[in-house]
Amino acid sequence: MDPGARAALYERVFAAAVAAHERARRRDTAPLFEAAAAIVKAVKAGGKVLVFGNGGSAADAQHVAAELVGRLERERGAIAAVALSSDSSILTAVANDYGFERVFARQIEALGRRGDVALAISTSGGSGNVLAGVAAARAAGLVVVGLSGRDGGGLGREADIHVNVPEQDTARVQEVHRTLLHVLCELVEQELM
């Protein structure tokens, strides 16, 4: 690739990311604020946050769990949060014995308690194992927060609280998701200080 093409690609990606963030910034903030309030309520009641997704969304689940257990900006008490994508032994055992669609649902059945928060992340909103996890969370009485892209898909329809990034490009959705997750964590920290 010649230097001019590299520079054009660089500019195109940054311009698209900035534009996606600007569109997200102008969207309704109420669902994100409601999600933060649900997490604060769960934590104050001794509950936890179970976070899950596939691929880049699995990485985001691990990232947000780390921010909650550790910290984002401020010293505070640890927040109980588990990324359901991070234990390879559980994932492979459940996938082998029950099928990949059950990898999150089975963990929610084991770990979730009424009043906990299930934070489901899917750029398409249609991942089968994420939707099965949402169904298990609803059956167990968890508050379901869905973080989706595109038109929200089944996740948007099934979540109690739906935070949507209506971009079509997966990379742009994931970039905005990471920013929204940082805002979410900062809101939670502020409320719990």
Side-chain angles (χ1 to χ4, degrees), residues 22-146:
E22 280 297 325
R23 285 188 291 274
R25 193 175 72 134
R26 291 190 302 270
R27 290 187 56 81
D28 182 13
T29 56
L32 189 67
F33 296 166
E34 190 178 349
I39 291 171
V40 168
K41 181 178 178 182
V43 170
K44 285 183 174 179
K48 64 188 146 316
V49 183
L50 302 176
V51 197
F52 53 102
N54 296 297
S57 297
D60 288 343
Q62 289 176 236
H63 184 148
V64 73
E67 302 288 23
L68 293 172
V69 172
R71 68 167 187 210
L72 179 66
E73 296 288 336
R74 292 163 183 77
E75 285 300 327
R76 48 136 174 98
I79 296 169
V82 179
L84 302 184
S85 57
S86 57
D87 189 322
S88 61
S89 294
I90 291 174
L91 291 172
T92 56
V94 172
N96 185 61
D97 294 347
Y98 300 96
F100 190 66
E101 291 237 339
R102 299 281 304 150
V103 296
F104 301 132
R106 188 70 174 175
Q107 292 182 79
I108 289 167
E109 290 165 3
L111 302 171
R113 299 293 174 262
R114 181 168 299 281
D116 288 347
V117 172
L119 174 52
I121 307 171
S122 173
T123 58
S124 69
S127 301
N129 59 0
V130 171
L131 294 176
V134 166
R138 290 180 68 81
L142 281 72
V143 175
V144 177
V145 176

